[in-house]
């Protein structure tokens, strides 16, 4: 027998993009030509290797009745066949390009279909796949028609000659690993399958082929110029503009321009001899000029986000409703831009960006990040053998998406090193579409790109770049900077957004950035809530690094998204220069304020006194005005504040009338200080000490009850369940305080009692709080006083020893009888907040249950703090602060929270744990970016703070 030396699956490891596919062309949603969706139920057989089965399944008459049924679009590993794998940048197979493992899960897919009875005769028919991971071979009615790679890109085959009226057999063999996998090492789950639409498209004689809508705008004259180049001659009509012209002919006339703030689209039709294709025209011109990215002559400020496609049940197979939900959430949270990390999205998403208004950086399906582990040796982007595949990916992106006005920049890919292949891609894109700049963060000298792009630089470096003090090539120093990734939104955070935005607004060269990222990639799991890396038995994974979004996996906005909305709000409201005025600034790039209304109210101790309309001029972008406020009420010792809300004056496509766009708040008069709670002497009675409405243990000084409420384990607290940003990333060389806190023993503090004193009108308990195994400590004194109805606790803290780390928190904690359903009331900040994430913390009266105050991060961690709290009521006890304090309440201890790995690990008991903090350490975004700024570090120093306990008021 002759040995088999070339397997039939040799195409899997071929570096070429494939064979048999048609040239790429423009994508459009519909036309008057017939089409047939092949989405729905398919038969599936999964084999462990690429050549474990023969090709007999592709023959008509094959019996697949025993095969499983799966939904297309979809991933078979999310439908009960195998398991997903998550890695950040490491390839989950040996790096030996272009070879892949013999263990290569392969899914044979079958769909039998009939043509509709009215399917037209004549012409041709195209079979289109919008996305298959990672390599597919296709048969129709037993005929091998080709194979392709490029998972997030469309591929079409001419199949009209193979079709029959009924019983058509479409067979698709999909391999999880292929040579193409080396080009798709994005930070995401590896999920094989046919995950985007499969469609049959009739192409009548004279049908439209590829076409390019050129629609520029002259901001000086107000004129737009439309020219539609088409491979098939035809006519272009835009009835609203009175346009009726031939393809290839330019028409110039007055138009309203398209911007992300004013997404004006004109409906038109491209009509060829055989087909009518709807087109939506948005007139705008993008240039890099005077060192700035400009659209229609105006510099942009990107307030953006990176968006992976994700759904917790269906993975990257998204329906139109989910895509629209993403766009609406972005618009409602003041985002104006999306980077499609790290591949072109489903084309319907770009259509939504055109319609609702978002700037888009469209990124190629390219990342080879795993080669960094071998210092980029054998990197495909610097290997001429791979250049055809790279060019194929660039061409398929540009040709598919070139007619979307929302796309203002092309990106070559992400974290793929540098090399000749990237240069070839940039040259091709510049030649094909000179109307858009080219982006690639890895091109540090900007040889091939038109903007300078960075990831996660610290604030001080960003400011140096803004001031023009950075180094680099002469070309680079003349280009604008965007942060294509910054503010890593993993778990609690990101911190430091306000300070980044201040820099963006201060220096013209800094044209904004894109927070990483939009949504946590948690996989819905019946036992774990949402699963992350390692939960499916992967031997190589990056744990919950895949959960780093502004949305929780179920698309609930995180506190971080609410913070970002506030930081980037397009209208700034600040106290004015004159008393009783506010300064209102238009921070839009293009829109005036005529579509907004301004509502004003005073609050007295958090209670609004009524709303009033403010008359604000329709300020142009960048303009400011001072507006006088109505007179403030007499607080009679109560705190008086003002709040101005900016609301939509009427319905828009993305939000209804009354939607809040921005807000500002200020203080007119502070509240009176708390009166002293003293005068009653402590009374010792056996093993108890009574002090007004409080009872203590006479031996230890530990409080037993306050105002009749049992109190458990009240003590100084310095620990928090470390956040992802506290822990940082293993590759970082900067100080990561989470690990240092544990090394310093701050999670295992010991409390030594030194004295219990009942001198005069106070109960004084002297202690030392210190970690086992360390000499550092905190000399802590608790001083209790009472006026008979209230009890004041004053805590004095003096650090001892050589402290080399800041504290996570500094305050007290204690337990009260309670459940997650118990109500909590407080006056102070309403959004989860920490020192560097408090912009969205609005002072009002608030109420919630204990359970509702928990932010359900996929990996449990410190959460739920509220800033500037004046008083809080929980478990039948009221706490007033002197001064304001940070307030957290949860149905489990910090130790339980710290030990949990999934939400389901957290089981409430019969105790509610209350944290009253004088100060907290900042959050930062060190899970991938910089840590908190030094001003937000909580270094030990002598300090004193007080709380007053009493019964809740009626």
């Amino acid at each position: 027998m002759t040995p088999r030396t070339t397997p039939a699956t040799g195409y899997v490891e071929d570096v070429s993009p494939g064979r048999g596919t048609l040239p790429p062309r423009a994508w459009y949603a519909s036309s008057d030509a017939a089409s047939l969706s092949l989405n729905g139920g398919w038969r599936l057989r999964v084999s462990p290797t690429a050549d474990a089965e023969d090709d007999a399944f592709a023959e008509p008459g094959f019996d697949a009745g025993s095969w499983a049924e799966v939904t297309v679009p979809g991933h078979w590993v999310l439908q009960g066949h195998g398991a997903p794998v998550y890695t950040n940048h490491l390839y989950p197979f040996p790096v030996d390009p272009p070879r892949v493992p013999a263990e290569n899960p392969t899914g044979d897919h079958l769909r039998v279909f009939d043509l509709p009875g009215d399917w037209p005769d004549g012409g041709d028919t195209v079979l289109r796949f919008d996305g298959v991971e990672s390599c597919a071979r296709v048969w129709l009615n037993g005929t091998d028609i080709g194979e392709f790679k490029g998972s997030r890109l469309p591929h079409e085959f001419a199949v009209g000659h193979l079709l029959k009226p009924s019983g058509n057999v479409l067979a698709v063999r999909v391999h999880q690993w292929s040579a193409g996998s080396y080009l798709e090492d994005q930070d995401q789950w590896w999920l094989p399958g046919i995950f985007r639409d499969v469609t049959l498209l009739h192409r009548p004689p004279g049908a439209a082929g590829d076409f390019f809508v050129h629609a520029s705008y002259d901001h000086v004259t107000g004129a737009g110029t439309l020219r539609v180049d088409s491979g098939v001659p035809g006519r272009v009509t835009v009835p609203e503009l009175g346009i009726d012209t031939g393809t290839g002919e330019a028409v110039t006339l007055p138009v309203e321009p398209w911007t992300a703030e004013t997404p004006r689209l004109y409906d038109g039709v491209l009509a060829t001899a055989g087909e009518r294709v709807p087109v939506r025209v948005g007139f705008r011109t993008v240039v890099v000029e005077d060192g700035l990215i400009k659209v229609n002559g105006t510099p942009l400020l990107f307030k953006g986000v990176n968006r992976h496609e994700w759904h917790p049940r269906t993975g990257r197979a998204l329906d139109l409703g989910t895509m629209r939900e993403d766009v609406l959430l972005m618009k409602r949270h003041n985002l104006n831009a999306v980077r499609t990390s790290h591949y072109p999205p489903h084309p319907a998403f770009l259509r939504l960006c055109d319609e609702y208004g978002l700037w888009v950086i469209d990124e190629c399906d390219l990342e080879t990040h795993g080669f960094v582990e071998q210092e980029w040796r054998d990197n495909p982007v610097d290997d001429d053998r791979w250049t055809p595949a790279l060019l194929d990916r660039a061409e398929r992106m540009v040709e598919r998406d070139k007619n979307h006005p929302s796309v203002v920049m092309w990106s070559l890919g992400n974290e793929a090193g540098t090399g000749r292949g990237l240069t070839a891609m940039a040259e091709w894109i510049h030649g094909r579409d000179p109307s858009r700049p080219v982006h690639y963060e890895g091109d540090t000298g900007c040889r091939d790109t038109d903007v300078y792009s960075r990831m996660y630089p610290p604030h001080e470096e960003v400011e140096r770049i803004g001031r023009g003090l950075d180094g680099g090539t002469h070309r680079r120093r003349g280009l604008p900077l965007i942060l294509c990734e910054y503010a890593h939104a993993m778990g609690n955070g990101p911190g430091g957004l306000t300070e980044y935005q201040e820099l963006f607004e201060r220096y013209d060269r800094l044209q904004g950035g894109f927070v990483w990222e939009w949504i946590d990639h948690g996989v819905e799991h019946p036992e774990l809530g949402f699963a992350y890396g390692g939960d499916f038995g992967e031997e190589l994974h990056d744990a919950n690094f895949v959960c780093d979004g502004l949305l929780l996996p179920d698309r609930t906005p995180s506190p971080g998204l609410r913070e970002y909305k506030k930081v980037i709000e397009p209208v700034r409201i600040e106290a004015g220069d004159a008393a009783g005025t506010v300064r209102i600034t238009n921070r839009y790039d293009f829109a005036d304020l005529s579509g907004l209304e301004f509502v004003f109210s005073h609050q007295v101790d958090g209670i609004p006194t009524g709303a009033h309309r403010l008359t604000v001029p329709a300020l142009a972008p960048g303009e400011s005005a001072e507006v006088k406020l109505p007179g403030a009420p007499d607080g009679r010792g109560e705190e008086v504040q003002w709040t101005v809300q900016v609301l939509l004056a009427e319905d828009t496509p993305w939000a209804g009338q009354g939607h809040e766009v921005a807000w500002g708040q200020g203080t007119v008069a502070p509240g009176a200080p708390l009166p002293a709670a003293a005068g009653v002497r402590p009374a010792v009675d056996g093993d108890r000490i009574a002090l007004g409405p409080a009872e203590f243990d006479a031996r230890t000084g530990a409080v037993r009850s306050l105002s009749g409420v049992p109190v458990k384990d009240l003590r100084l607290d310095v620990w928090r369940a470390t956040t992802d940003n506290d822990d940082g990333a293993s590759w970082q060389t900067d100080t990561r305080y989470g690990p240092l806190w544990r090394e310093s023993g701050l999670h295992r503090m010991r409390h030594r009692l030194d004295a219990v004193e009942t001198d005069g009108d106070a109960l004084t308990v002297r202690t030392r709080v210190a970690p086992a195994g360390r000499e550092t400590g905190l000399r802590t004194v608790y001083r209790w006083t009472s006026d008979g109805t209230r009890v004041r606790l004053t805590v004095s803290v003096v650090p001892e020893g050589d402290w080399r780390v800041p504290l996570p928190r500094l305050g007290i904690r204690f337990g009260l009888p309670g459940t997650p359903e118990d109500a909590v009331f407080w006056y102070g900040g309403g959004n989860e907040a920490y020192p560097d994430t408090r912009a969205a913390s609005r002072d009002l009266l608030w109420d919630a249950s204990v359970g509702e105050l928990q932010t359900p991060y996929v990996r449990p961690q410190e959460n739920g703090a509220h800033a500037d709290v004046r008083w809080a009521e929980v478990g039948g006890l009221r706490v007033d602060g002197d001064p304001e304090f940070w307030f957290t309440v949860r149905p489990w201890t910090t130790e339980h929270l710290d030990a949990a790995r999934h939400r389901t690990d957290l089981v409430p008991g019969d105790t509610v744990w209350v944290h009253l903090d004088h100060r907290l350490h900042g959050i930062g975004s060190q899970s991938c970016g910089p840590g908190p700024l030094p001003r937000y570090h909580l270094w030990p120093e002598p300090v004193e703070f007080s709380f007053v306990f009493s019964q809740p008021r009626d």
Side-chain angles (χ1 to χ4, degrees):
M1 178 180 292
T2 303
R4 180 177 172 184
T5 57
T6 304
T9 53
Y11 63 88
V12 173
E13 295 179 340
D14 191 336
V15 299
S16 72
R19 63 175 177 86
T21 56
L22 295 170
R25 65 186 178 105
W27 183 93
Y28 47 90
S30 63
S31 78
D32 63 352
S35 65
L36 176 66
S37 172
L38 298 180
N39 294 347
W42 288 54
R43 292 292 183 176
L44 171 73
R45 174 184 65 191
V46 178
S47 304
T49 66
D51 54 1
E53 305 287 349
D54 59 29
D55 303 340
F57 82 105
E59 296 296 331
F62 181 85
D63 183 6
S66 63
W67 290 17
E69 185 168 327
V70 293
T71 298
V72 169
H75 306 279
W76 73 69
V77 295
L78 296 183
Q79 299 185 62
H81 307 281
V85 175
Y86 168 61
T87 59
N88 167 30
H89 77 280
L90 294 175
Y91 290 102
F93 48 79
V95 180
D96 183 22
R99 306 297 301 276
V100 296
E103 299 85 0
N104 188 359
T106 295
D108 289 336
H109 296 69
L110 270 181
R111 172 71 190 265
V112 179
F113 65 93
D114 300 333
L115 294 178
D118 58 353
W119 191 261
D121 294 326
D124 200 354
T125 297
V126 167
L127 174 64
R128 183 174 70 204
F129 295 89
D130 280 311
V132 182
E133 183 175 334
S134 73
C135 172
R137 186 179 179 187
V138 186
W139 296 261
L140 181 60
N141 291 330
T143 299
D144 178 359
I145 60 174
E147 71 267 343
F148 60 87
K149 306 178 189 75
S151 297
R152 269 66 70 174
L153 296 161
H155 295 84
E156 294 183 330
F157 298 92
V159 298
H161 61 293
L162 299 174
L163 289 172
K164 53 188 181 180
S166 62
N168 293 284
V169 177
L170 177 58
V172 185
R173 174 164 284 168
V174 180
H175 306 282
Q176 175 156 20
W177 311 121
S178 70
S181 301
Y182 284 99
L183 305 180
E184 296 171 5
D185 189 28
Q186 294 98 338
D187 175 11
Q188 61 183 348
W189 293 96
W190 298 87
L191 298 173
I194 305 172
F195 69 95
R196 288 187 185 160
D197 306 290
V198 183
T199 313
L200 207 60
L201 302 167
H202 182 248
R203 312 307 298 140
D210 186 33
F211 62 92
F212 198 160
V213 178
H214 303 273
S216 61
Y217 180 73
D218 187 329
H219 66 279
V220 176
T221 65
T225 299
L226 175 66
R227 187 185 82 246
V228 179
D229 295 334
S230 175
V232 176
R235 296 199 69 76
V236 178
T237 56
V238 184
E240 187 177 355
L241 295 174
I243 292 176
D244 185 347
T245 188
T247 53
E249 299 176 3
V251 178
T252 301
L253 73 173
V255 297
E256 297 175 49
W258 187 98
T259 74
E261 297 168 7
T262 56
R264 183 64 161 96
L265 292 170
Y266 293 91
D267 291 326
V269 174
L270 166 63
T272 64
E275 188 177 18
R276 292 174 59 83
V277 180
V279 294
R280 297 199 297 182
V281 181
F283 292 91
R284 56 76 190 129
T285 296
V286 187
V287 297
V288 176
E289 180 182 76
D290 304 323
L292 298 172
I293 305 165
K294 297 180 182 180
V295 172
N296 304 335
T298 297
L300 297 184
L301 183 57
F302 291 115
K303 303 170 183 178
V305 69
N306 287 275
R307 175 186 177 269
H308 269 296
E309 295 181 303
W310 187 252
H311 190 282
R313 289 191 301 277
T314 61
R316 285 189 287 279
L318 299 188
D319 58 54
L320 183 61
T322 298
M323 289 184 266
R324 179 175 281 109
E325 183 180 0
D326 279 349
V327 171
L328 294 179
L329 281 169
M330 290 176 186
K331 293 289 291 186
R332 291 168 184 168
H333 287 85
N334 293 332
L335 278 78
N336 70 3
V338 182
R339 176 181 176 225
T340 69
S341 55
H342 298 294
Y343 43 81
H346 190 291
F349 178 79
L350 297 179
R351 187 174 173 86
L352 293 169
C353 293
D354 296 340
E355 178 182 346
Y356 292 103
L358 288 168
W359 309 114
V360 175
I361 297 180
D362 198 358
E363 192 149 271
C364 193
D365 190 9
L366 173 62
E367 180 166 338
T368 64
H369 198 177
F371 285 89
V372 72
E373 295 293 320
Q374 55 203 55
E375 299 180 340
W376 298 105
R377 287 189 307 277
D378 300 323
N379 185 11
V381 303
D382 199 29
D383 184 335
D384 290 337
R385 295 175 301 164
W386 294 80
T387 299
L390 302 181
L391 287 171
D392 180 75
R393 290 171 183 246
E395 292 171 17
R396 290 186 183 279
M397 172 183 68
V398 171
E399 301 296 7
R400 191 196 75 168
D401 297 342
K402 59 183 178 284
N403 293 330
H404 291 284
S406 58
V407 176
V408 294
M409 204 178 305
W410 302 116
S411 179
L412 302 180
N414 183 69
E415 293 176 319
T418 58
R420 291 163 287 177
L422 287 168
T423 297
M425 293 168 68
E427 290 176 349
W428 184 89
I429 293 174
H430 279 124
R432 176 58 172 149
D433 181 24
S435 72
R436 293 176 174 97
V438 170
H439 164 273
Y440 177 65
E441 181 267 343
D443 183 12
T444 56
C446 300
R447 180 187 65 178
D448 298 323
T449 55
D450 303 301
V451 298
Y452 179 29
S453 180
R454 290 291 304 279
M455 291 183 182
Y456 307 108
H459 297 79
E460 58 269 25
E461 183 179 355
V462 173
E463 180 163 23
R464 285 185 59 82
I465 296 171
R467 295 174 60 195
L469 299 178
D470 56 313
T473 64
H474 178 76
R475 169 176 167 75
R476 191 184 82 181
R477 286 185 280 115
L479 295 178
L481 175 79
I482 64 168
L483 303 187
C484 66
E485 294 179 23
Y486 82 113
H488 200 249
M490 186 175 177
N492 187 335
L497 286 169
T498 296
E499 291 76 14
Y500 276 117
Q501 194 66 24
E502 289 171 351
L503 293 172
F504 297 158
E505 295 178 6
R506 186 181 310 152
Y507 300 103
D508 291 343
R509 187 188 180 190
L510 308 180
Q511 294 198 253
F514 297 78
V515 167
W516 184 269
E517 65 159 306
W518 178 236
I519 187 169
D520 287 345
H521 300 202
V523 177
E524 196 172 83
H525 193 284
E527 299 172 0
L528 302 176
F530 291 108
Y532 49 77
D535 288 334
F536 297 97
E538 310 102 299
E539 60 183 5
L540 183 68
H541 64 85
D542 285 285
N544 66 310
F545 200 71
V546 76
C547 296
D548 47 12
L550 293 169
L551 296 182
L552 303 179
D554 62 1
R555 282 183 162 72
T556 298
S558 72
L561 180 56
R562 295 191 289 271
E563 175 82 356
Y564 195 29
K565 175 185 179 180
K566 173 63 179 168
V567 168
I568 61 175
E569 61 189 5
V571 182
R572 188 68 44 76
I573 303 161
E574 304 162 301
D577 294 333
T581 66
V582 294
R583 173 169 291 276
I584 295 173
T585 304
N586 181 353
R587 296 297 309 174
Y588 283 110
D589 291 329
F590 296 92
D592 63 26
L593 302 188
S594 59
L596 303 173
E597 63 179 3
F598 293 75
V599 177
F600 165 84
S601 65
H602 278 114
Q603 293 85 242
V604 178
D605 272 358
I607 301 175
T609 61
H612 309 276
R613 294 287 189 273
L614 279 184
T615 300
V616 176
L619 300 171
E623 289 186 343
S624 297
E626 289 215 6
V627 178
K628 186 170 180 56
L629 299 177
D634 182 1
R636 296 183 180 87
E638 297 170 306
E639 182 177 18
V640 179
Q641 294 178 296
W642 57 261
T643 299
V644 175
Q645 293 176 277
V646 185
L647 312 176
L648 291 180
E650 56 188 31
D651 291 347
T652 70
W654 50 270
Q657 180 184 12
H659 168 78
E660 185 178 82
V661 174
W663 60 273
Q665 196 169 60
T667 298
V668 177
L674 288 173
V680 174
R681 297 176 67 87
V684 181
D685 182 10
D687 68 346
R688 64 186 289 271
I689 299 174
L691 180 62
E695 181 178 319
F696 302 83
D697 184 288
R699 184 179 62 85
T700 65
V703 62
R704 292 177 175 176
S705 67
L706 295 168
S707 297
V709 179
V711 175
K712 179 191 297 186
D713 296 335
L714 187 150
R715 57 177 53 183
L716 189 78
D717 188 27
V718 300
W719 181 245
R720 71 185 185 199
T722 54
T723 69
D724 294 312
N725 288 308
D726 291 335
D727 292 335
S730 60
W731 63 82
Q732 292 174 327
T733 57
D734 292 347
T735 300
R736 296 182 291 134
Y737 283 119
L740 281 181
W741 289 339
R742 293 188 193 276
E743 182 183 327
S744 301
L746 299 188
H747 61 309
R748 46 180 169 80
M749 301 294 278
R750 301 293 184 261
H751 299 255
R752 187 186 74 206
L753 176 63
D754 288 343
V756 177
E757 302 167 353
T758 55
D759 297 335
D761 62 355
L763 168 64
T764 303
V765 181
R766 302 183 185 278
T767 70
R768 188 175 190 271
V769 182
R774 302 292 176 185
E775 66 170 352
T776 51
L778 300 169
R779 184 73 65 179
T780 306
V781 178
Y782 307 91
R783 187 174 188 272
W784 296 89
T785 58
S786 175
D787 61 4
T789 59
R790 297 170 300 139
V791 180
R792 174 185 286 267
L793 168 63
T794 299
V795 182
S796 302
V797 180
V798 177
E800 296 179 337
D802 184 11
W803 281 90
R804 299 187 178 184
V805 295
L807 300 173
R809 67 180 344 125
L810 182 63
I812 62 170
R813 79 165 185 184
F814 53 89
L816 301 176
T819 71
E821 289 72 39
D822 287 357
V824 182
F825 304 90
W826 75 99
Y827 170 34
N831 193 47
E832 175 181 281
Y834 291 81
D836 54 349
T837 67
R838 62 189 299 174
S841 179
R842 183 179 343 202
D843 290 341
L844 283 174
L845 291 178
W846 302 94
D847 67 274
S849 70
V850 173
E852 289 169 338
L853 289 175
Q854 314 312 303
T855 302
Y857 295 116
V858 175
R859 186 192 73 81
Q861 57 197 272
E862 166 66 33
N863 72 90
H866 290 80
D868 302 318
V869 175
R870 282 70 157 178
W871 59 260
E873 294 178 355
V874 56
L877 191 65
R878 176 182 170 110
V879 184
D880 286 83
D882 186 14
E884 299 161 350
F885 59 98
W886 300 84
F887 174 68
T888 311
V889 57
R890 45 177 73 107
W892 34 69
T893 65
T894 296
E895 289 74 19
H896 286 130
L897 185 63
D898 199 21
R901 290 296 170 260
H902 294 89
R903 302 177 187 178
T904 50
D905 295 334
L906 293 169
V907 180
D910 58 2
T911 302
V912 167
W913 293 92
V914 179
H915 296 256
L916 311 177
D917 288 303
H918 175 62
R919 287 187 61 195
L920 296 172
H921 188 75
I923 295 294
S925 66
Q926 203 170 2
S927 50
C928 192
L933 288 164
R935 73 189 80 163
Y936 301 120
H937 291 187
L938 174 50
W939 288 99
E941 61 183 6
V943 68
E944 184 174 280
F945 51 91
S946 297
F947 305 102
V948 175
F949 300 93
S950 60
Q951 292 183 335
R953 301 176 184 176
D954 293 334

